[in-house]
Amino acid sequence: MTHPIASAANRAARKSVLVVEDNALERFVLSEWLRHSSYRVVEAGTADEAIEVLASSLGIHAVVTDMQMPGEAQGLDLVRHIRKVYPHIYVIGVSANDFKLELELEMCPFFIKPYDLGEITSLLATSLKDSRPGDDIQEIA
């Protein structure tokens, strides 16, 4: 019989999360936390870059995105793009400024910075636990 913690880690290991954050230190901290929580992590520094990553068919299961970044597209633009083009992808928004109302309209959870890394991981685990087996994809380096 598989240990429950090992089983949870195995489920997470099959899930890929795109972390979109222009602050390199914040992106590193969240990405490493998620990797240590057994997620595959892909990183992007802008919403424009994230849109390119999503278009590359890497099989992303969830996106955690900052709302204010440099570039043509902002976090809210990215959230709306994901809702329209990739409605199966789970999205979490984060920002130092309050975007709660805007993200509630997009049915997207929001965390104000500084946020609790454990809360992000817990929400991802709960939200991704019912992903279909066919959603699991090839390994991402």
Side-chain angles (χ1 to χ4, degrees), residues 12 15-19 30-31 34 39-43 59-64 90 120 124 128 140:
K15 306 301 177 194
S16 299
V17 179
L18 172 59
V19 174
L30 177 57
S31 295
L34 292 173
Y39 289 95
R40 292 188 193 120
V41 178
V42 179
E43 299 179 31
I60 301 297
H61 294 94
V63 174
V64 180
Y90 186 73
I120 297 279
L124 284 171
L128 297 179
I140 298 172

Side-chain angles (χ1 to χ4, degrees), residues 6-137:
S7 180
N10 288 339
R11 282 193 306 275
R14 293 188 303 266
K15 306 301 177 194
S16 299
V17 179
L18 172 59
V19 174
V20 188
E21 172 63 64
D22 62 307
N23 181 301
L25 180 59
E26 290 179 28
R27 185 174 63 242
F28 173 79
V29 169
L30 177 57
S31 295
E32 287 303 302
W33 178 268
L34 292 173
R35 285 184 182 105
H36 287 289
S37 299
S38 299
Y39 289 95
R40 292 188 193 120
V41 178
V42 179
E43 299 179 31
T46 67
D48 300 311
E49 190 179 319
I51 289 169
E52 289 178 23
V53 169
L54 291 167
S56 69
S57 301
L58 289 175
I60 301 297
H61 294 94
V63 174
V64 180
T65 183
D66 188 11
M67 300 309 295
Q68 294 179 296
M69 296 173 281
E72 189 173 318
Q74 292 295 307
L76 194 54
D77 300 316
L78 176 60
V79 170
R80 289 178 177 152
H81 176 76
I82 292 168
R83 289 284 180 253
K84 181 178 178 182
V85 181
Y86 310 99
H88 62 282
I89 295 177
Y90 186 73
V91 183
I92 297 173
V94 299
S95 181
N97 297 309
D98 193 352
F99 282 86
K100 184 174 181 167
L101 179 61
E102 293 91 337
L103 290 174
E104 281 179 354
L105 293 173
E106 299 298 328
M107 297 172 40
C108 176
F110 172 73
F111 290 87
I112 197 143
K113 293 178 181 180
Y115 49 81
D116 183 307
L117 293 167
E119 287 182 22
I120 297 279
T121 307
S122 178
L123 186 56
L124 284 171
T126 301
S127 301
L128 297 179
K129 73 176 179 162
D130 294 327
S131 293
R132 297 182 318 252
D135 290 341
D136 297 335
I137 49 90

